[in-house]
Each structure stands twice: as C-alpha cells, then as structure tokens.
Amino acid sequence: MNAVLGLDVGGTTTKALVVATDGTVLHEERRPTAHATDPLPGLAAELDRLTALAADRGAAVVGAGVVTPGLIEESTGTVRYASNLGWRDLPLRAGLQERVAVPVTTGHDVRAAGLAEQLLGAATGVADVLLLTIGTGIASALVSGGRALTGGTGAAGEVGHAPVRPGGELCPCGQRGCLEVYASGAGVARRYGARTGTAFSAAEVVGRLGSDAVAREVWADATSALADALVTATLLLDPSVVVLGGGLTAAGADLLDPVRAGLAAGLTWRPPPPVHLTGLGPLAGCLGAAALAMTHAGLGDHLAGWARGRRPVPTGTG
Amino acid sequence: MNAVLGLDVGGTTTKALVVATDGTVLHEERRPTAHATDPLPGLAAELDRLTALAADRGAAVVGAGVVTPGLIEESTGTVRYASNLGWRDLPLRAGLQERVAVPVTTGHDVRAAGLAEQLLGAATGVADVLLLTIGTGIASALVSGGRALTGGTGAAGEVGHAPVRPGGELCPCGQRGCLEVYASGAGVARRYGARTGTAFSAAEVVGRLGSDAVAREVWADATSALADALVTATLLLDPSVVVLGGGLTAAGADLLDPVRAGLAAGLTWRPPPPVHLTGLGPLAGCLGAAALAMTHAGLGDHLAGWARGRRPVPTGTG
C-alpha cells in the first residue's frame, strides 16, 4: 500500500495526516506548532517520523505536501512572508527536500483547503469554488476549473483587508474599515471587549446571542460585513458555490443564515451562489496538502476516488 | 494571405477589424449598432461583407470572433442576457455558424479586451492582468496565465455593482452604494446633474475640473470609489498589472493619478500593482475578438507575433 503525507503548519497548531493513495486516512494528529529559529530541521524530522509511522502500518510514503499561511512563491516553494510563523524568505520546499527522502511539494493553506473542499468537501465536483476561511483572520481561495488562483505574487485571496466599511473602525494593519476588523475571530472579540470591558472569545460572543444585546449587535456587524464582502467577491469571481471554513463556522446557522440572507439581498440582478459550511472542518488544509502530494507524485487521477473511497477520519490519535 | 475578423457588438457602437494572421490590421470600421428583433441575419451579413472586403484586399478569412457584453455561456456561445442589446437566450455562435461559411467563435467583450491588453496592449506578456473598463457602466476582466476567468455562470467581472459605499446613494439596480453609482460615466453625469441641475456628460465634468468645485467633488468621489474597488480586487486577485479601459480613460492623468494614489494608500502591507491606461483604446475588445478567432482557427501560436508585427491601426476607413 502506498500513502502520502499532508502537513498543515499553522500559526498555532500543526496538523498532519497519513492518507493511503485510495483516500483512506491512516493517521491523524495535531500538536502545537514549534516556533524554532530555523523551522526546517523540525519539519523534516516530522516528515521522517510520519514516514516511519506509515511504514509501521504497512504503507510506503510516495510524497509529502506541506502547506502554510502567508505569501508563497509557488514556482520555487519559498515562503516569502508568513507573519504568524515569523518566516521570511524561507526556502521551504528546497530546504525540506534536501533533508528528507520522500518527494516534497508545498502550497498555501487556504488554497489547499479550497482544493480539498472541491475534491471531497462541501463543493465536491464543482468547478468554481470560493472558500472563505474565518478564523483569527480572514482569507479566501478561488478554485477555478480545479486550479487554485495564486495571483501574480502568490498573494491572491487576502480579502481580510478589503475596505468593506470605508472610513470605518481602525484595523491593526493601519487602514480603516477592513473586513477583519468586523468579522474575524479577533475582530469580534475585540469589538465586544471594547463595548463591555469583558474579554470573551468570538465563540463566547456567539454563545451569548440569545441573552446579550451587545453580542447580537457585534455579531450582526460581522455577518453583514461578511455578506458585503461576498457580494463583491461573487460579482468579481462568479463562484458556483461559496464555502465558509475556519473556526467561526462553529457558529453554524448563526453564521450561515444571516450571511446567506445578506448575500441574496445584496445581489439584485443575479441569483446568489449557494453558501455552505465546510465539509471538512479544520482538516481541510491538511487534506489539501495530501492532495497536492498526490498530484506531485503523478497520482492526480486517483484523487477522483477520494470522495468515494474516503473513510471516516479518526480523531484524537495524536 | 490569411486573415481573421474581429467584431465587437456594443450597446451603442459596433466595431470591426480585419487582421492578417501576422497581426497586420487590414481594415477597421465603426458604425451604430443595429437593434433588430433578430440580430443574427444582420450580423451574418456583416461577417459576409467583411469576408468579401478582405478578399478584395487579397486575404482569405479563416475565422471570425464576435464579442458582446452580457452574460455569455462560453461552452455554447449563447448570450443568456445582454441588457444593452436587448438579447436574451440568443444562440449567437450556432446561429451565426449556420449562416456563414467562415468558422465563428464568440466571447465576452471585456474579457476579450483583457486578453488583447495582455497580448499587445498595456500589459503585454504579463500573466495576471486585471482590466477595469469604465464607460457608461463598469466591468472587469481577470486574465490569469493567458486565460480569462469566466466564472461558474459566465458572469465573472461584473464589479460595477460591488457595494463600495454600503448604505450609500441609490443605484438604478435597486441597491445602494454600488461602484457604478459613483464612478461610471452615467453615474458621474447623474451626480453632477443632481447637484447643479445641468446635464453634462462625464467627459464634460472632467473638462471642468480646473474651474468647477462641484465637478472636482464628484470626480474625487468617482476616483476614490474606483481606488477602493481596486484595493479589494487586488487583495482578492493579486494582479501583476491593472489596466484601465473604457471611455473615461480619456480623462488621462485626471483619472490615473488619483486612482494610483488611492490604491497605494489603501494597501498597507503589500505593494500596489502598477496601474496603466489602456494601450489599445476602444479597439481592445475588437482585437481580442480577432485573437479569439486566431485561437479557434488553431493559429494561437501566431499571436505572440502580433505584438511585434502589429502595424498602426488605420482610422476613419469605415
């Protein structure tokens, strides 16, 4: 049996999957991201450990995909800048490939998640998918015809600083009225805290919607800003399906219903695309990384089978 | 000598080109668009006339490209809806192909213009180009890796109704604060007229910038709205070059300078892409139509020579 590795290195958590080439998930784990001065030796050791672990389960690893946030030069696999990881001009792909035997490919976490949603998530088989991930920050990916749009400098999808409320509240980036000010996890928590003096997380604010008028007001501002951003993105990109991912999707219908209503209300002369919550949860990026490894290994035509062959992902095995 | 035809059917004007396959423009003409109940016979007669005209000049026509505004189903060449032409569910490609001998291909006017700008205009050789056309209305095209993004329903690029000023002035579409309200030719003329009671065109408003405070205010609102829309589009799409096209580009530096400044000011953590005025003027769509015909005729690899081989376009020959 052959397998690939998927590694999703986030600012807080690193997630890893071992996936058989038929789509069966053999192993899943999550652990806090190690913030080393030189991250390459640690990541290489991680890939070696996962390769050995796969071998213990009878699987030969034929490739590894590693995805990260930030600005990634797709042609070279160099991470130009990833603020949450403190990386600048890190030759991720070349540096890992020097250190490990399995073929390594690299990519952007949100674009990989978009591919995974299209492959086996909430937008399976749809050619034009817009994924909006709403976590601490906000980013997006457009998959068009199975290809994730990267842009001229690898920075496509950074919609978090779109000026949805021109002249609005100040963003840590220095601008006013950015989408993240109102609708990111950090923004929701900060805006609630500024009004009440209480430090609640965005999830806690959502938990108070039934009983707390300030929570309702802050959340309405968030979903309204998200809907406006989706109106603009829909007009520009014309996605067939919009998928919402990231931590704030735990809000469920409290997120989905007002965003759907706002998007429909903002589009007068064209129907809105359907909006779904992620079908893959926090593993979307990791599954996308594994899918990149499949393609890199020349096994891209096996990916169509993943949606059919995918087994339930084990949890808590890390 | 072989040649292709490019036909750009606009709401007001129809433009036509006969272009030799080496890129030499053999003939150019413009005339008012005929608004017939069934436009197919007239358009077919036009293609036949241009084919005969090319033959008179010693050129055999090997293909024709016809581009239009509206929602176009690229796979079938059916125009689902083009409000300025009054077309709905018009089988443009099939209907023309039934009537004329030369192979016909069809496309979207602004996307074709984007391809032309990339091929031989203001963004020659650049892989990721955003074209924003600012005329009576506002539309855009993203060319990524030589391919114009169409979207799931052929409606990508319709940025004119993006809510750049949420809760702002009423748009004829029924929404408030759309980009076109502030920055289209129609919008500039309407806003100036509402303040002064004088019916000036957008070009006349621009002509009064040196002497008329209301004109300056209306124009500042227009360029500020355009810059904000470009900030969002840059964050989403990461174009390497932004090209401004359409009638309002006659404003020259009065358009370019404030839009460049506003785009740079709105992007705090990434450099702005360069912004250029169209290199092809009102012929961009027509040249793009001819380029589509080249590709359809299997001559796509000759297009690289167009930028080198292109002769000055004759004017006033219609």
Side-chain angles (χ1 to χ4, degrees), chain A residues 201-211 215 254:
Chain A
S201 70
E204 288 167 327
V205 172
V206 171
R208 300 175 64 81
L209 291 177
S211 60
D254 286 328

Side-chain angles (χ1 to χ4, degrees), chain B:
Chain B
M1 174 172 54
N2 288 336
V4 291
L5 309 179
L7 199 65
D8 179 0
V9 186
T12 308
T13 305
T14 293
K15 298 158 202 153
L17 285 177
V18 182
V19 188
T21 53
D22 71 356
T24 311
V25 174
L26 302 175
H27 176 72
E28 176 205 345
E29 61 180 57
R30 312 176 192 204
R31 53 168 186 72
T33 297
H35 288 270
T37 310
D38 179 0
L40 292 171
L43 290 172
E46 175 105 19
L47 294 179
D48 282 341
R49 185 176 58 73
L50 291 165
T51 301
L53 185 150
D56 286 348
R57 302 187 183 190
V61 171
V62 296
V66 181
V67 301
T68 73
L71 294 182
I72 297 164
E73 197 174 85
E74 302 261 337
S75 60
T76 62
T78 296
V79 180
R80 286 293 164 213
Y81 182 55
S83 60
N84 292 337
L85 293 166
W87 297 357
R88 192 179 283 277
D89 294 325
L90 179 77
L92 181 64
R93 191 167 75 213
L96 289 177
Q97 195 61 85
E98 272 175 18
R99 289 172 170 84
V100 303
V102 301
V104 176
T105 188
T106 52
H108 183 265
D109 55 356
V110 179
R111 287 197 282 274
L115 280 173
E117 295 287 354
Q118 186 195 37
L119 191 66
L120 70 168
T124 306
V126 177
D128 291 86
V129 182
L130 177 69
L131 170 69
L132 195 72
T133 60
I134 316 157
T136 309
I138 297 178
S140 69
L142 180 79
V143 180
S144 170
R147 179 173 152 268
L149 207 73
T150 59
T153 67
E158 295 293 350
V159 71
H161 297 279
V164 292
R165 298 287 177 263
E169 295 177 20
L170 195 63
C171 178
C173 83
Q175 284 299 323
R176 289 187 171 276
C178 299
L179 176 59
E180 286 192 0
V181 169
Y182 300 92
S184 68
V188 167
R190 189 175 51 237
R191 294 185 82 235
Y192 183 87
R195 280 161 180 70
T196 61
T198 311
F200 281 147
S201 69
E204 288 167 326
V205 172
V206 171
R208 300 175 64 80
L209 291 177
S211 59
D212 178 338
V214 176
R216 279 196 295 277
E217 186 190 314
V218 166
W219 189 247
D221 289 347
T223 55
S224 158
L226 285 169
D228 279 356
L230 286 176
V231 168
T232 297
T234 296
L235 289 166
L236 266 175
L237 303 169
D238 185 23
S240 298
V241 170
V242 173
V243 178
L244 305 182
L248 260 66
T249 56
D254 285 328
L255 175 68
L256 198 55
D257 292 350
V259 165
R260 279 178 173 162
L263 175 59
L267 293 168
T268 40
W269 54 276
R270 59 157 290 158
V275 182
H276 301 305
L277 295 181
T278 170
L280 302 170
L283 286 177
C286 216
L287 281 162
L292 290 176
M294 288 287 288
T295 301
H296 189 63
L299 300 169
D301 51 358
H302 286 52
L303 287 174
W306 281 29
R308 292 191 298 276
R310 182 166 173 255
R311 309 298 188 278
V313 176
T315 52
T317 57

Side-chain angles (χ1 to χ4, degrees), chain A residues 16 27 34 37 50 56 60 78 80 83 89 129 156 171 181 183 185-186 193 197 251 277:
Chain A
H27 177 72
T37 310
L50 291 165
D56 286 347
T78 296
R80 286 293 165 213
S83 60
D89 295 325
V129 181
C171 179
V181 170
L277 296 180

